[in-house]
Amino acid sequence: MDDVFRALADGSRRELLDRLNERNGQTLRELCAGLEMSRQAVSKHLAVLESAGLVTAVRHGREKLHYLNPVPIHDLADRWIGRYERGRLTALSALRQALEGNSVNKPAFVYTIYIDTTAERLYEALTTPEFLKQYHGGWAPRSDWQAGSTVYWPTEENGEPQDLGQRVLVAEPGKRLVYTWHTLQPMHQEMLGMSDAEFEAARTERSQVAFDIEPAEIPQLGVKLTITHDGFDSPESKMLESVSGGWIMLASQLKSILERQPA
């Protein structure tokens, strides 16, 4: 948390976070527009924000897009404000939703976590049944994880994995894994409290998830895993609502397993 406080202490860095809060997924050029700072100064401020976990950068083609990561801010609130004012400060929930909001044509959910392991072992944890079952439980996907292959997913806990139309798009061991996501299933309707009309309107949405593995900027931290889930129809997507909290929980469990069970 010391890094977070140091990053937030500078007014210029807070301004960059405000800009990303207003419109997430901006390039360096877009963030520089209208600021009385040089491009180099903005780059240095972004590097501090990334080191503190407040900003995540994701490459899309030739562009590098920057996203606000609300998790450290949520942790600050949960550590002090949430403990004593939980009943009175319900607005914090609305703030977190605002921080996680994204424009329709940009990745809708981006989350970065550092894991003290190797890139090869992390990729293994994303693709082998033994690992997947440990943090997915009875909802673990199954595939041979080759580009073009089917990803099978159970429609009920511990059920037989089904072909829900998911396909592996990219499979680069130790570097990147991308696959299409399933549409809303009947079980989601009750889980998300959707009416029949809402469910029918939303069940055609097809998104995708990407796992990017890179060396951590500080070698002692191991590797950096960035989860990008995009392709949603709108920021109000029910599937986006469902997966956002889910990926954070799964990533935390994955980190615990890998750091508890060294190779």
Side-chain angles (χ1 to χ4, degrees):
M1 285 193 179
D2 290 344
D3 290 340
V4 176
F5 278 117
R6 278 192 288 268
L8 293 174
D10 185 273
S12 296
R13 291 196 282 270
R14 292 197 300 272
E15 185 174 2
L16 290 171
L17 292 177
D18 286 338
R19 285 186 165 220
L20 291 176
N21 183 31
E22 293 172 2
R23 183 169 68 84
N24 228 349
Q26 296 190 55
T27 63
L28 175 60
R29 177 180 55 80
E30 291 172 322
L31 286 169
C32 289
L35 291 178
E36 296 181 358
M37 283 189 286
S38 67
R39 185 184 181 95
Q40 184 179 16
V42 174
S43 293
K44 288 182 177 179
H45 283 310
L46 287 172
V48 173
L49 291 169
E50 284 189 59
S51 295
L54 290 163
V55 166
T56 296
V58 178
R59 285 209 169 273
H60 273 240
R62 296 182 178 180
E63 293 186 322
K64 188 176 183 181
L65 305 180
H66 299 85
Y67 295 86
L68 191 153
N69 178 17
V71 176
I73 297 173
H74 170 75
D75 288 343
L76 290 178
D78 195 52
R79 179 170 178 175
W80 288 294
I81 300 174
R83 182 179 301 174
Y84 304 110
E85 305 285 347
R86 193 175 302 274
R88 296 169 53 197
L89 297 182
T90 54
L92 282 173
S93 177
L95 172 61
R96 184 179 182 186
Q97 291 299 319
L99 292 175
E100 289 181 349
N102 298 285
S103 59
V104 175
N105 295 319
K106 298 289 177 67
F109 176 80
V110 180
Y111 180 65
T112 295
I113 189 169
Y114 292 86
I115 304 177
D116 186 10
T117 187
T118 64
E120 293 72 22
R121 186 164 171 79
L122 176 53
Y123 191 86
E124 181 185 1
L126 294 172
T127 56
T128 60
E130 294 76 14
F131 270 113
L132 287 165
K133 288 178 182 177
Q134 289 185 62
Y135 59 97
H136 277 278
W139 300 96
R142 189 182 69 193
S143 177
D144 63 13
W145 305 108
Q146 301 297 313
S149 294
T150 299
V151 179
Y152 297 93
W153 210 283
T155 55
E156 59 182 29
E157 191 168 11
N158 295 314
E160 186 67 23
Q162 306 292 319
D163 181 357
L164 303 178
Q166 297 178 250
R167 299 293 181 268
V168 179
L169 302 178
V170 180
E172 300 177 10
K175 295 182 179 179
R176 193 162 201 251
L177 178 67
V178 185
Y179 54 90
T180 57
W181 197 248
H182 56 74
T183 57
L184 286 173
Q185 300 299 306
M187 63 178 178
H188 293 111
Q189 182 175 4
E190 182 178 355
M191 185 188 308
L192 299 172
M194 302 173 69
S195 67
D196 289 344
E198 288 175 326
F199 179 67
E200 288 303 320
R203 68 182 305 179
T204 59
E205 179 182 64
R206 176 72 69 175
S207 57
Q208 69 177 44
V209 63
F211 303 87
D212 288 287
I213 304 170
E214 306 170 85
E217 295 85 350
I218 303 174
Q220 293 89 333
L221 295 179
V223 295
K224 179 169 79 171
L225 171 64
T226 301
I227 303 173
T228 306
H229 199 140
D230 62 2
F232 300 103
D233 291 342
S234 77
E236 289 74 39
S237 163
K238 288 293 185 180
M239 184 61 84
L240 169 58
E241 177 186 336
S242 175
V243 301
S244 294
W247 282 128
I248 293 175
M249 178 185 69
L250 289 174
S252 297
Q253 291 176 337
L254 175 59
K255 175 182 173 69
S256 297
I257 291 168
L258 286 172
E259 294 183 345
R260 188 175 64 244
Q261 302 175 7

